[in-house]
Amino acid sequence: MAHRVDHEYDYLFKIVLIGDSGVGKSNILSRFTRNEFCLESKSTIGVEFATRTLQIEGKTIKAQIWDTAGQERYRAITSAYYRGAVGALLVYDITKRQTFENVLRWLRELRDHADSNIVIMMAGNKSDLNHLRAVSPDDAQVLAEKEGLSFLETSALEALNIENAFHTILTEIYHIISKKALAAQEAASNAPPIQGTTINVTDSAGQRRGCCST
Ligand SMILES: Nc1nc2c(ncn2[C@@H]2O[C@H](COP(=O)(O)OP(=O)(O)O)[C@@H](O)[C@H]2O)c(=O)[nH]1
Ligand SMILES: [Mg+2]
């Protein structure tokens, strides 16, 4: 396979997919990155991550989205999975109450393993199965507000709100990162000039790597 160094983006953001097994994480990922959906569950077959590059407020953002490859069934997600993640899509299944109850467990897991500033979006997936609904949007909204999360109902099957969910997370991350960069710039311009000091405003989230600005 051709090996190409990819510097054609302004920012690289790692986003993790979490939530119980069977809620549709892998299909959300394939819908977003390849516009594909699979009705048969092949939950043990999974990619480590998939990427998609998109434009947010005039910047080229490369989203690197990590999938669990089924480890969540054994509660065996390693801390490496969360390392460097700046966003998380926490998915439950609107037809399975237990997967919604477990959102709190996933939030604890995020608090234990991920960066405290991680942007979290809760997604109630399978909204196409409204006749089987076991979680009301109101219940979910209450939880989201209490926990400070964004919330959307999605359908990987019908490609409903998948774009919106990722777009919302990525925009929020971009706003946080650009505010931080601005604050660092201001601090640098207010500080007395000290010769030979390098002020590094690069964020750990993977701001433009190894490429000069154009
Ligand atoms: N009706 C419906 N089924 C879905 C949707 N998303 C995923 N599924 C199905 O739910 C099952 C589990 O999906 P999968 O992506 O493997 O879930 P994961 O274990 O969280 O990765 C599969 O049979 C999918 O076809 C959806 O939005 N609507
Ligand atoms: Mg999966």
Side-chain angles (χ1 to χ4, degrees):
M1 209 199 301
H3 200 80
R4 191 170 64 92
V5 180
D6 184 357
H7 288 313
E8 288 159 9
Y9 53 86
D10 296 302
Y11 296 92
L12 173 70
F13 293 153
K14 174 176 172 179
I15 295 179
V16 289
L17 287 167
I18 51 167
D20 286 4
S21 181
V23 296
K25 298 180 298 300
S26 299
N27 276 282
I28 287 174
L29 179 62
S30 62
R31 176 62 79 194
F32 184 62
T33 57
R34 303 194 304 275
N35 201 17
E36 283 173 15
F37 180 85
C38 178
L39 254 181
E40 294 152 57
S41 188
K42 291 187 224 152
S43 49
T44 51
I45 304 166
V47 288
E48 211 174 18
F49 63 79
T51 61
R52 189 173 140 191
T53 302
L54 60 168
Q55 296 291 316
I56 307 250
E57 297 184 5
K59 296 286 178 193
T60 305
I61 310 274
K62 183 167 180 170
Q64 186 188 66
I65 302 147
W66 287 60
D67 192 12
T68 58
Q71 296 151 317
E72 72 276 23
R73 268 181 297 171
Y74 318 106
R75 301 197 170 185
I77 297 180
T78 61
S79 48
Y81 186 70
Y82 297 104
R83 197 168 301 136
V86 288
L89 188 66
L90 201 177
V91 187
Y92 68 90
D93 176 343
I94 68 151
T95 72
K96 295 213 166 63
R97 185 81 197 176
Q98 190 59 49
T99 67
F100 176 66
E101 308 288 340
N102 285 343
V103 162
L104 286 175
R105 191 180 77 75
W106 287 108
L107 283 173
R108 265 203 309 278
E109 171 113 353
L110 275 176
R111 284 188 190 120
D112 288 348
H113 296 284
D115 189 281
S116 57
N117 293 319
I118 193 166
V119 171
I120 307 167
M121 154 80 73
M122 179 170 77
N125 191 42
K126 309 196 187 180
S127 64
D128 53 283
L129 299 176
N130 199 34
H131 53 295
L132 300 174
R133 178 184 287 279
V135 183
S136 75
D138 286 353
D139 280 5
Q141 192 61 51
V142 166
L143 179 70
E145 274 167 31
K146 184 161 163 273
E147 299 293 333
L149 320 171
S150 313
F151 164 64
L152 277 175
E153 286 197 348
T154 57
S155 169
L157 173 69
E158 293 185 341
L160 209 95
N161 269 343
I162 303 293
E163 291 280 326
N164 199 356
F166 284 106
H167 206 273
T168 304
I169 298 178
L170 293 166
T171 304
E172 206 175 316
I173 297 166
Y174 172 62
H175 285 166
I176 291 170
I177 298 275
S178 47
K179 249 188 240 154
K180 267 197 210 164
L182 195 67
Q185 261 168 23
E186 275 168 10
S189 62
N190 291 337
I194 304 165
Q195 277 222 318
T197 302
T198 304
I199 296 156
N200 188 0
V201 294
T202 307
D203 195 272
S204 59
Q207 204 161 344
R208 185 187 274 273
R209 293 178 310 175
C211 187
C212 42
S213 53
T214 47

